[in-house]
Amino acid sequence: MEILEKLRARARACPQHIVLFEGEEDRTLEAARLIEGEKLAQLTLLGNVNKIHSRLQALGIELKASQLLDPAASPKLEDYTDLLYERRRAKGMTEEQAAKAARQPRNYAALMVAAGDADGSVGGALNTTADTVRAALWGIGVAPGVSLVSSFFLMLSPRKHLGTDGATLFADSAVVPQPNPSQLADIAIMTAANARALLEAEPRVALLSFSTRGSAEHPMIDAVREALALIKTRAPQLAVDGELQLDAALIPDIGSRKAPGSTVAGHANVLIFPDLNAGNIGYKLAERFGGCEAIGPILQGLAKPANDLSRGCKAEDIAQVAVITSIQAQSLKQAQKAA
């Protein structure tokens, strides 16, 4: 799809150093071949180096530019252990626990990113989302001024009239089970920023509900309305509306009827779901029934990029998440230079 080609071109133009922390896993190795072949990123693969070589030989893959690294044998393990201990000792982590944790590839990858030795990490083909997010929180932590880590999926539809040329961001579909209004507002603002970075278009944010502008009354709807009020205070320039039903958010003639005068209704490219039930079911419905391609989950709210994978992912999915991680790293560096 055109949006993916644009993202790959941006990643290729300024390659970032990405760590794939499940380096012994076949899909990860296939993804590394794709990434290296298209020069989308500089890679480090974590794991037992002998096992990685064995799997590469069995798969007939030759990696010429990627670094293979065993965290347990790394000369930086002691430094990373110290870094993790300093970050977590106030939470009760002992030095012995830090040393054990730093050897785990998912934690080592996050610590590489935190130390500035890599620009982003990707994994989750074998690890759960909870373990992947925990490693990122332990090693990298949340960004300044951010209250929580959440996620989004980049959904690519064959229907080009939806979103921005068929591309829409869905949030939160993987991490925060039941956000309160303040958290929902933060999720919306962070997802809008990622939409601007990835789509190179102005975000139009719809706060979804089973009601459109007062067509129903319920405490769940009240929470969405409260989130809208908070967004307008925190990000007054953002194009946002709610509460909106899905059809009113995406279809222009329905949006104009149900929410007349809205700059978002019928044209949304960011969909904010009221809770994780809705968000997770929604993205899978769009993928399985609607023929959309789902890329993610992409984490947001971390101080530096680290991303999760669906355990049902393909090698192509891993490569695409690595590309988005690279774009996030590029955007972070640009923001730091501008600050």
Side-chain angles (χ1 to χ4, degrees), residues 32 43 50 81 83 235 249 252 271 282 322:
L43 293 178
N50 289 333
T81 297
L83 175 59
L271 301 180

Side-chain angles (χ1 to χ4, degrees), residues 166-179:
T168 307
L169 273 63
F170 284 25
D172 182 355
S173 297
V175 176
V176 185
Q178 196 165 7

Side-chain angles (χ1 to χ4, degrees), residues 23 25-33 45 52 55-56 61:
E25 199 270 339
D26 288 0
R27 291 167 295 173
T28 300
L29 297 175
E30 292 283 2
R33 179 183 61 79
L45 280 68
I52 295 174
R55 290 313 304 156
L56 286 171
I61 296 172

Side-chain angles (χ1 to χ4, degrees), residues 19-21 46 104-114 118 120-121 140:
V19 186
L20 304 180
F21 64 74
L46 300 185
Q104 293 181 327
R106 61 178 179 266
N107 292 320
Y108 189 94
L111 292 165
M112 281 185 72
V113 176
S121 71
I140 298 170

Side-chain angles (χ1 to χ4, degrees), residues 153-156 283-284 286-287 292-297 317 320-321:
F153 278 83
L154 173 60
M155 304 298 294
L156 304 177
Y283 102 80
K284 291 185 177 181
E287 182 181 29
C292 292
E293 182 174 357
I295 301 174
D317 301 325
Q320 288 164 357
V321 171

Side-chain angles (χ1 to χ4, degrees), residues 85-338:
Y85 176 63
E86 287 303 313
R87 292 186 58 85
R88 299 298 301 175
R89 66 176 179 175
K91 299 290 186 180
M93 180 175 282
T94 66
E95 291 183 79
E96 183 179 356
Q97 289 170 332
K100 182 178 180 181
R103 291 170 173 265
Q104 293 181 327
R106 61 178 179 266
N107 292 320
Y108 189 94
L111 292 165
M112 281 185 72
V113 176
D117 295 326
D119 298 310
S121 71
V122 173
L126 297 175
N127 288 262
T128 66
T129 291
D131 285 341
T132 301
V133 173
R134 186 183 302 111
L137 286 171
W138 282 8
I140 298 170
V142 298
V146 173
S147 65
L148 81 167
V149 171
S150 61
S151 72
F152 67 88
F153 278 83
L154 173 60
M155 304 298 294
L156 304 177
S157 173
R159 299 168 178 83
K160 296 297 184 182
H161 63 281
L162 297 175
T164 298
D165 296 326
T168 307
L169 273 63
F170 284 25
D172 182 355
S173 297
V175 176
V176 185
Q178 196 165 7
N180 62 39
S182 181
Q183 292 172 328
L184 196 62
D186 281 350
I187 290 168
I189 292 167
M190 287 189 290
T191 309
N194 274 299
R196 185 179 287 110
L198 293 173
L199 305 182
E200 296 183 298
E202 279 304 301
R204 299 180 297 276
V205 182
L207 303 184
L208 298 181
S209 176
F210 59 87
S211 167
T212 295
R213 287 194 173 181
S215 65
E217 295 295 334
H218 191 277
M220 288 191 293
I221 301 169
D222 293 339
V224 175
R225 293 171 184 161
E226 187 178 340
L228 177 64
L230 291 170
I231 295 167
K232 289 185 174 181
T233 299
R234 297 175 188 175
Q237 303 305 314
L238 184 62
V240 58
D241 202 358
E243 77 280 10
L244 295 174
Q245 291 164 287
L246 181 66
D247 54 355
L250 293 177
I251 310 302
D253 61 335
I254 297 175
S256 64
R257 290 199 309 271
K258 290 188 173 184
S262 173
T263 60
V264 172
H267 305 283
N269 57 11
V270 174
L271 301 180
I272 304 299
F273 293 84
D275 61 30
L276 191 53
N277 272 326
N280 191 268
I281 293 167
Y283 102 80
K284 291 185 177 181
L285 278 172
E287 182 181 29
R288 303 301 180 182
F289 274 87
C292 292
E293 182 174 357
I295 301 174
I298 307 300
L299 299 181
Q300 55 187 4
L302 292 165
K304 293 183 178 181
N307 280 311
D308 188 23
L309 299 166
S310 166
R311 279 174 287 173
C313 66
K314 304 183 294 293
E316 293 80 4
D317 301 325
I318 300 173
Q320 288 164 357
V321 171
V323 165
I324 291 178
T325 308
S326 293
I327 302 300
Q328 287 181 311
Q330 291 175 4
S331 297
L332 176 63
K333 291 176 181 179
Q334 291 166 2
Q336 289 172 337
K337 284 183 180 179

